[in-house]
């Protein structure tokens, strides 16, 4: 069992380490799965803050504080590169961590998010230039998607729809059950009532791919559903090609290790569904 770090230090291991992937819970596993299938050679260290999930309804300050603790923990475990496999953390904490914390913690380490790679592709997908974002309340309220899309594709009109019940449906294993239909349909109908011209919808939460069957069922015909995992993986591959100095600091054993802040047994069971294969996890303490 890994114990809490009582003394904060900025001295992180300098030897190569795994790529760190962080999410509030299980959602980031959909990102890890795609990254790992594209780059199976690397080692990965996944951290889910399941004890404090969901983040989607939490304030900016709390999401930032929890995410920073997780990043620091992953650095302490030897990661030089950490991916926030969580839109809520990417929306609410990434910029502050990159601009304010990284220079003090270790300017050679990097933290990347999932929103930018998703925003980059939407310009070549949408024809109508009307795009919908389905995400947690926190991500929608942050308006990060709107701001990022405005920078790259100023002609696109963005409508955000908060889907506060979708993460609990996934976290509680209800995503394939009839109860999920009500909430999936409700939010999709609401989004298209607000802008019927939307032709592309970004699933802006890493939990949502598990609801994909139901999302496709209720989505109007012809609408592109943009799952971000693939684009995040391709963007990371491109980043590592452009930054060989970072690639050289990642170990290449093909292993994935899983850490959770909740009970390991429960994590193992549910995470296996996300990963599509059995796995073992270890409980850790953040803060
Ligand atoms: N998976 C996270 C995301 O992509 C949200 C889950 C949560 O609310 O904690 O936004």
């Amino acid at each position: 069992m890994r114990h809490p770090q009582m003394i904060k230090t900025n001295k992180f291991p300098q030897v190569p380490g795994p790529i760190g992937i962080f999410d509030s819970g299980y959602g980031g596993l959909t990102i890890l799965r795609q990254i790992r299938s594209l780059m199976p050679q690397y080692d990965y260290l996944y951290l889910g803050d399941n004890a404090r999930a969901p983040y989607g309804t939490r304030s900016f300050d709390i999401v930032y504080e929890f995410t920073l603790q997780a990043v620091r923990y992953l650095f302490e475990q030897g990661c030089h590169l950490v991916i926030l496999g969580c839109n809520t953390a990417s929306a609410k904490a990434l910029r502050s961590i990159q601009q304010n914390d990284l220079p003090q913690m270790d300017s050679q380490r990097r933290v990347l998010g999932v929103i930018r790679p998703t925003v980059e592709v939407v310009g070549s997908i949408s024809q109508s230039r009307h795009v919908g974002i389905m995400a947690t309340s926190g991500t929608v309220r942050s308006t990060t998607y709107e701001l990022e899309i405005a920078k790259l594709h100023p002609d696109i009109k963005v409508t955000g729809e908060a889907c506060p019940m979708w993460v609990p449906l996934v976290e509680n294993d209800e995503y394939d059950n009839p109860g999920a239909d009500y909430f999936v349909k409700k939010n999709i109908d609401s989004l298209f009532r607000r802008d019927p011209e939307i032709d592309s919808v970004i699933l802006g939460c890493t939990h949502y791919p598990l609801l994909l069957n139901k999302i496709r069922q209720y989505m109007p015909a012809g609408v592109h559903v943009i799952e971000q995992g693939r684009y995040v993986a391709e963007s990371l591959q491109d980043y590592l090609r452009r930054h060989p100095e970072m690639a050289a600091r990642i170990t290449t054993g093909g292993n994935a290790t899983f850490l959770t802040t909740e009970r390991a047994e429960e994590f193992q069971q549910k995470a296996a569904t996300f990963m599509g294969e059995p796995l073992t996890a270890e409980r850790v303490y953040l803060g």
Side-chain angles (χ1 to χ4, degrees):
M1 194 177 281
R2 299 177 200 218
H3 287 285
Q5 287 277 330
M6 298 312 288
I7 301 163
K8 299 268 181 292
T9 162
N10 283 339
K11 299 247 178 303
F12 304 117
Q14 291 304 317
V15 290
I19 296 176
I21 308 224
F22 170 68
D23 180 50
S24 59
Y26 300 105
L29 293 167
T30 63
I31 299 291
L32 169 60
R33 196 175 169 171
Q34 296 272 357
I35 293 178
R36 203 177 173 206
S37 99
L38 194 64
M39 292 175 285
Q41 71 274 27
Y42 291 125
D43 290 329
Y44 298 93
L45 180 59
Y46 184 87
L47 172 59
D49 191 7
N50 300 76
R52 302 188 292 193
Y55 280 13
T57 45
R58 291 189 184 273
S59 67
F60 179 94
D61 290 358
I62 294 292
V63 173
Y64 166 61
E65 183 188 322
F66 289 178
T67 305
L68 183 58
Q69 287 171 358
V71 166
R72 180 182 287 278
Y73 188 89
L74 288 167
F75 284 173
E76 285 164 357
Q77 302 310 307
C79 301
H80 293 256
L81 175 63
V82 171
I83 311 299
L84 302 184
C86 175
N87 289 267
T88 310
S90 299
K92 293 185 158 199
L94 180 62
R95 186 173 295 265
S96 302
I97 292 176
Q98 284 175 334
Q99 291 180 353
N100 305 331
D101 299 295
L102 266 186
Q104 292 167 34
M105 288 162 84
D106 184 338
S107 59
Q108 299 305 306
R109 290 179 202 245
R110 289 288 172 271
V111 181
L112 305 174
V114 289
I115 293 180
R116 182 76 185 201
T118 313
V119 164
E120 276 169 7
V121 297
V122 75
S124 56
I125 295 176
S126 173
Q127 299 291 314
S128 72
R129 313 314 274 170
H130 288 246
V131 167
I133 313 292
M134 310 202 84
T136 65
S137 312
T139 299
V140 170
R141 264 202 311 268
S142 76
T143 67
T144 306
Y145 269 101
E146 279 88 335
L147 296 169
E148 292 294 325
I149 289 176
K151 278 187 221 157
L152 294 187
H153 321 290
D155 59 323
I156 288 184
K157 177 180 182 316
V158 181
T159 305
E161 174 76 17
C163 311
M165 288 302 293
W166 290 20
V167 168
L169 286 169
V170 172
E171 291 272 326
N172 291 293
D173 262 343
E174 292 289 340
Y175 54 90
D176 256 343
N177 292 339
D181 290 68
Y182 172 81
F183 291 104
V184 170
K185 182 174 183 327
K186 179 181 169 189
N187 288 120
I188 291 175
D189 288 351
S190 161
L191 177 67
F192 283 87
R193 258 198 313 276
R194 292 167 58 212
D195 184 356
E197 288 182 64
I198 289 170
D199 73 347
S200 310
V201 172
I202 293 174
L203 300 186
C205 173
T206 54
H207 280 68
Y208 295 176
L210 271 89
L211 284 163
L212 205 56
N213 287 340
K214 294 198 188 292
I215 292 171
R216 290 228 167 90
Q217 189 181 334
Y218 295 108
M219 199 58 81
V223 170
H224 297 272
V225 177
I226 303 176
E227 260 190 281
Q228 56 192 169
R230 177 185 142 199
Y231 303 112
V232 172
E234 286 170 0
S235 166
L236 180 60
Q237 187 178 48
D238 178 55
Y239 174 85
L240 290 171
R241 270 197 207 112
R242 288 184 288 108
H243 294 276
E245 78 292 351
M246 179 56 83
R249 286 191 272 149
I250 302 169
T251 47
T252 51
N255 300 306
T257 306
F258 298 87
L259 308 175
T260 173
T261 55
E262 249 293 352
R263 284 179 57 243
E265 296 72 23
E266 190 171 335
F267 182 90
Q268 282 166 195
Q269 203 185 358
K270 284 197 188 163
T273 318
F274 281 77
M275 290 302 286
E277 60 184 77
L279 53 91
T280 55
E282 189 182 345
R283 184 177 189 175
V284 299
Y285 296 87
L286 298 180

